[in-house]
Amino acid sequence: MNSIVTRIQLLTAIVIATTVAPSLTRLAAAADAAAAQAEAYSWRNVKIGGGGFIPGIVFSRAEKGLAYLRSDMGGCYRWDSRQNRWIPLQDSMPESSYQGGESIAPDPLDPNIVYVAAGMYRGEPSAILRSHDRGGHWDVYPVTFQMGGNEDGRGLGERLAVDPNDNSILYFGSRHDGLQRSGDHGKSWQKVESFPIKGRGVPARGQPSNPGLSFVVFDPKSSTPGQPSKTIFVGSADPGDHHLFRSDDAGKTWKVVPGEPKKEFLPAKAEIDDAGTLYVTYGNGPGPNGVTDGAVMKLDTKSGAWTDITPDQRPNRQPGGYCGLSLDRQKPGTLAVTTMNRWSPSDTVWRSTDGGKTWKDIVNRSERDVSATPFLFWGKPEPRLGWWMAAFAIDPFDSDRACYATGATIYATSDFSNVNKDQPTHWKPWVEGIEQTAVITLMSPSAGAHLISGFGDIGGFVHDDLGVSPPKGMFENPQFGNTNTLEYAGQRPAVIVRSGRPSEGQSPLGISRDGGKTWKPIALPASDAPAEGAPRRRRGAAGANPAITVSADGETLVLMTRPTAMVARSDSPSWTPARGLPANARPVADRVDPKKFYALDFKTGKLYTSTDAAATFVESQPSGLPKDISGDEPTWHEAAWPLSATTGLSGDLWLVSKAGLFHSADAGKSFTRADGGGVQVDALSFGKAAAGKEYPALFAIGTRDKRKALWRSDDAGRSWLRLNDDQHQWGTRFRCVAGDPRLFGRVYVGTDGRGILYGEPAASPRAGE
């Protein structure tokens, strides 16, 4: 509908409904608010391509071309062969914990049905999810047994399994509460009291997680369609004398499977072939870290005989165990496994065509093309083969199609049999549609690239094109694991500084004077720099994760490596302490005046202002702030700083407080609370002002009426519009927000698990680009 007509209709409705006519100004404001509430947003991912750990990949055995995967903190995905991309399946869910996939199980008989065991950490909600339309919609069945989809042991599995002879029956191997069974398609669950492992109970906070029961495997040949499978195998990765259990009466009774490898080896994954041979991978820890030894075994389930088929049995083999496992359903006797934590030179895939008698390693028989996701070079000439390789799968309908996941991507090949022909296998990232990353900070400068990002584990990027994985890859010189702070000079946006957790031997500080095209490391103050050959500092140590900011003209740097802020005037700085600041007061640069900086002492509520480019600060007691704001000071180096200076305005400040959102238009002399219609703001950013208005639009992560959401205010925080709808919630795992100062309405949102999303009004001509 035409926006002018809409506004006229709204004005008319308000006039009719009002007994005492308000002023025209109030009418217009009411109409604007009503129209804003009706505005829709269009949402898309900023493309990186993969980026995080995928613990499990499962091909459907009911339909060719159908596959699912689970991530540890970003929900589950379905491969759509018609669209040739992965489809995120849980974006509509508001519950954060459900984004942690403990296990995933496509129905082996009905390709439309899929189940997910969802629960990210013990102590958080957990549920069994069931979909009748391949993950388009979900039935949610909360359960009492707790999960750990992002805890140690998340690469084990699959713990959740559907009986291939009677798909109303499911079993789930829990971490803490033994074996669970459902006889009504996952709606209700009962503990299998006859199972020997009862569960160790939920560990106390701070204690290591229980890996628990690692897999459930049915033998389809042990029954007929319509009758429950009689033979079931369950693995246990908890410490103990026995780790594999068997039932031959459809789960009524259980017994230990004798003859396992040494008790220190914990079963990770298992599959059974049509001849009744059970294959099992083992490691001496649950992973994905800390595994130094392991084995691959096979069991003749008829005779009970075990055979050790470990691929690498050399006495001087590299440390590490085994995890990923898949059988070639087209070629009996052909299978492949992955190593786990074989860090030198890397993890790898082993393939056998004779039931494990002989093996071929892909390490010297594989090539990787990462041109579509260049960050996978990690600053090296060649991309690494892999690490944390828990997930591996061979397409049950195509022997040559196989895939494995690493800590940062999924690789797939269509010529897997080349391994045994001593020819190269060709692997490419299989990640179209997957954005599974943790975003720490975002920035949208007033010139240059519209978005610059800081990530956990993969550093960060300059995004010249939001629809393309950045061609230059991640930041380099210096290269970071985590980027914790990003700032640009308010009047010289080509000047950008960043800080974070650096790669070995590099500076934790970098500066660019060309909008992020090139970077230069910044030296730490001499006493904060680690000595040559010294061990890497712990993450909380001074200088390990410093915060940095830059003046509006790009000439003054302010650094927090010590309790007192340090100041420098050039790219190769000589640092001097700022005078007049209390301990741990972190300065914020004015966005217009290069001489002005502001710092808040959260313990006293006093504001410290500098008018000489952070050389000295003067104390004042602003009015209007709560008496106690000590709880607003962040204690985590990845948290956004609650005091911020407004884009394009001098002396304009905002404080995000647990007591509300506070605004100062007089350089911090006084603050007023922006009521905001009940939105409790957690993070704030600034964007381009709405048409006909001068003050920047505000964007926020916040909560109203117990609904955590994304919000925009076009009237300096007096009222807010919810931007994301119920179909776009992403587990409400919002971490950071950045408004675009050049494009009205556009906002960038960093999530913990679903990458970066950007939204803009659906009516915008850009929304369909």
Side-chain angles (χ1 to χ4, degrees):
M1 184 181 293
N2 184 282
S3 60
I4 296 175
V5 174
T6 303
R7 195 163 184 268
I8 291 170
Q9 291 174 336
L10 288 164
L11 280 167
T12 303
I14 293 168
V15 170
I16 293 171
T18 308
T19 56
V20 179
S23 67
L24 183 59
T25 301
R26 288 178 59 196
L27 274 173
D32 284 343
Q37 289 296 329
E39 185 175 10
Y41 253 60
S42 173
W43 292 97
R44 283 167 288 178
N45 264 115
V46 175
K47 188 171 185 178
I48 301 297
F53 182 40
I54 301 297
I57 304 169
V58 182
F59 281 99
S60 168
R61 296 188 66 182
E63 181 179 299
K64 184 177 182 180
L66 179 60
Y68 293 90
L69 63 80
R70 57 185 172 94
S71 74
D72 52 8
M73 61 177 188
C76 297
Y77 291 77
R78 181 190 77 245
W79 176 252
D80 189 310
S81 57
R82 289 172 293 182
Q83 296 186 52
N84 205 35
R85 63 183 292 111
W86 291 97
I87 308 298
L89 302 180
Q90 294 176 251
D91 284 359
S92 64
M93 291 187 177
E95 173 54 60
S96 170
S97 180
Y98 294 169
Q99 302 296 309
E102 182 83 292
S103 189
I104 192 163
D107 190 300
L109 304 178
D110 187 338
N112 293 316
I113 296 176
V114 62
Y115 297 87
V116 173
M120 195 173 298
Y121 299 107
R122 63 184 186 267
E124 294 187 355
S126 55
I128 300 296
L129 314 179
R130 183 187 189 215
S131 175
H132 295 262
D133 57 3
R134 308 179 184 221
H137 302 83
W138 295 95
D139 297 321
V140 178
Y141 305 120
V143 293
T144 57
F145 42 89
Q146 297 181 22
M147 303 186 193
N150 197 26
E151 296 185 18
D152 286 348
R154 56 195 183 273
L156 304 176
E158 294 295 318
R159 305 170 187 266
L160 181 64
V162 184
D163 190 327
N165 287 301
D166 182 350
N167 64 354
S168 68
I169 297 172
L170 289 84
Y171 281 84
F172 177 70
S174 77
R175 287 176 177 265
H176 319 295
D177 298 298
L179 184 63
Q180 304 285 332
R181 182 186 185 276
S182 172
D184 56 5
H185 302 279
K187 293 179 183 178
S188 62
W189 292 81
Q190 297 80 38
K191 188 172 184 177
V192 180
E193 297 296 344
S194 61
F195 190 73
I197 302 295
K198 306 302 181 184
R200 303 166 72 194
V202 180
R205 186 173 181 179
Q207 296 299 309
S209 178
N210 294 328
L213 304 182
S214 50
F215 57 74
V216 177
V217 174
F218 293 95
D219 183 356
K221 301 292 185 181
S222 65
S223 184
T224 56
Q227 298 297 317
S229 296
K230 293 181 179 180
T231 300
I232 312 167
F233 293 92
V234 177
S236 171
D238 282 335
D241 292 331
H242 304 289
H243 298 287
L244 187 64
F245 303 88
R246 173 176 181 161
S247 174
D248 289 305
D249 54 8
K252 294 178 183 177
T253 61
W254 298 83
K255 58 187 177 182
V256 171
V257 176
E260 295 177 85
K262 55 186 179 181
K263 66 179 183 180
E264 291 79 16
F265 283 0
L266 310 176
K269 294 181 185 287
E271 288 195 18
I272 193 168
D273 68 12
D274 291 341
T277 300
L278 183 75
Y279 293 84
V280 188
T281 55
Y282 289 87
N284 63 351
N289 279 321
V291 183
T292 59
D293 199 3
V296 182
M297 306 287 291
K298 71 177 182 180
L299 171 71
D300 184 326
T301 61
K302 297 180 177 64
S303 69
W306 284 93
T307 305
D308 186 344
I309 57 170
T310 305
D312 189 351
Q313 301 193 30
R314 298 172 300 163
N316 63 342
R317 64 187 179 274
Q318 291 290 335
Y322 295 87
C323 189
L325 165 69
S326 188
L327 306 185
D328 186 335
R329 298 296 173 175
Q330 299 295 313
K331 298 179 179 179
T334 296
L335 71 151
V337 298
T338 67
T339 60
M340 174 58 75
N341 289 169
R342 194 186 78 167
W343 292 102
S344 180
S346 69
D347 273 320
T348 190
V349 178
W350 293 85
R351 183 176 188 262
S352 174
T353 58
D354 53 13
K357 294 178 183 177
T358 61
W359 296 88
K360 294 284 188 178
D361 184 351
I362 74 166
V363 71
N364 295 317
R365 302 176 179 87
S366 61
E367 298 174 357
R368 280 159 298 287
D369 176 2
V370 299
S371 56
T373 52
F375 77 92
L376 291 171
F377 281 108
W378 298 85
K380 306 293 184 182
E382 295 292 333
R384 193 173 178 182
L385 192 152
W387 68 100
W388 278 19
M389 288 167 56
F392 178 81
I394 301 171
D395 188 331
F397 298 93
D398 184 349
S399 300
D400 265 324
R401 184 157 181 77
C403 61
Y404 68 88
T406 77
T409 196
I410 305 164
Y411 284 107
T413 184
S414 57
D415 54 15
F416 191 42
S417 62
N418 280 3
V419 177
N420 289 80
K421 302 173 186 175
D422 289 328
Q423 297 174 5
T425 52
H426 301 87
W427 302 82
K428 288 185 178 182
W430 190 27
V431 293
E432 187 64 36
I434 298 175
E435 297 296 335
Q436 199 267 330
T437 49
V439 189
I440 298 173
T441 184
L442 295 173
M443 184 182 75
S444 183
S446 56
H450 279 263
L451 178 65
I452 299 176
S453 60
F455 282 77
D457 296 331
I458 59 173
F461 304 88
V462 176
H463 302 267
D464 293 301
D465 184 339
L466 303 180
V468 175
S469 187
K472 290 186 177 181
M474 63 183 69
F475 298 135
E476 292 186 13
N477 192 36
Q479 186 180 88
F480 294 168
N482 288 19
T483 297
N484 297 329
T485 58
L486 280 168
E487 293 286 352
Y488 74 93
Q491 300 303 298
R492 291 181 60 194
V495 179
I496 304 168
V497 293
R498 58 183 169 95
S499 65
R501 176 169 55 86
S503 298
E504 197 70 47
Q506 300 193 45
S507 171
L509 308 171
I511 187 168
S512 174
R513 293 192 175 273
D514 57 9
K517 293 181 176 66
T518 60
W519 294 89
K520 178 181 177 180
I522 303 172
L524 286 167
S527 60
D528 293 324
E532 185 174 350
R536 177 182 286 185
R537 299 174 182 215
R538 60 183 175 83
R539 293 190 180 189
N545 277 286
I548 191 170
T549 193
V550 60
S551 60
D553 63 358
E555 296 302 322
T556 299
L557 306 180
V558 181
L559 176 66
M560 295 299 296
T561 58
R562 307 178 185 181
T564 300
M566 304 294 287
V567 183
R569 307 294 180 197
S570 69
D571 288 6
S572 300
S574 174
W575 298 96
T576 58
R579 297 190 300 276
L581 279 177
N584 300 314
R586 174 172 160 178
V588 171
D590 191 280
R591 307 303 291 173
V592 175
D593 189 334
K595 299 295 184 183
K596 289 184 178 180
F597 285 80
Y598 315 93
L600 190 61
D601 185 351
F602 291 90
K603 294 179 177 62
T604 65
K606 292 180 179 179
L607 188 79
Y608 293 78
T609 304
S610 174
T611 57
D612 58 4
T616 61
F617 284 79
V618 176
E619 172 189 318
S620 65
Q621 185 70 58
S623 63
L625 289 181
K627 290 182 179 180
D628 184 7
I629 58 171
S630 58
D632 295 325
E633 183 174 14
T635 58
W636 187 32
H637 56 263
E638 294 182 11
W641 200 247
L643 182 68
S644 55
T646 308
T647 303
L649 297 174
S650 182
D652 207 77
L653 303 173
W654 288 84
L655 175 66
V656 174
S657 169
K658 293 180 176 65
L661 182 64
F662 294 86
H663 176 228
S664 174
D666 56 8
K669 295 186 178 115
S670 62
F671 284 82
T672 57
R673 179 172 176 172
D675 181 73
V679 174
Q680 175 63 46
V681 173
D682 299 319
L684 185 71
S685 185
F686 311 96
K688 185 177 180 179
K693 299 190 177 182
E694 295 182 358
Y695 200 84
L698 303 183
F699 292 92
I701 299 168
T703 302
R704 183 169 67 191
D705 298 329
K706 298 183 180 181
R707 182 194 295 273
K708 189 174 183 180
L710 304 170
W711 308 86
R712 189 186 84 218
S713 174
D714 298 333
D715 55 10
R718 289 186 291 275
S719 64
W720 293 90
L721 162 72
R722 184 189 176 202
L723 303 185
N724 63 305
D725 57 34
D726 288 352
Q727 296 305 307
H728 300 89
Q729 302 199 76
W730 311 290
T732 61
R733 295 178 60 78
F734 311 124
R735 288 195 65 173
C736 51
V737 61
D740 194 310
R742 289 172 275 173
L743 299 172
F744 170 69
R746 179 180 282 187
V747 62
Y748 308 94
V749 182
T751 70
D752 204 12
R754 274 288 282 119
I756 305 172
L757 297 133
Y758 71 104
E760 48 201 343
S764 166
R766 303 181 306 271
E769 291 176 357

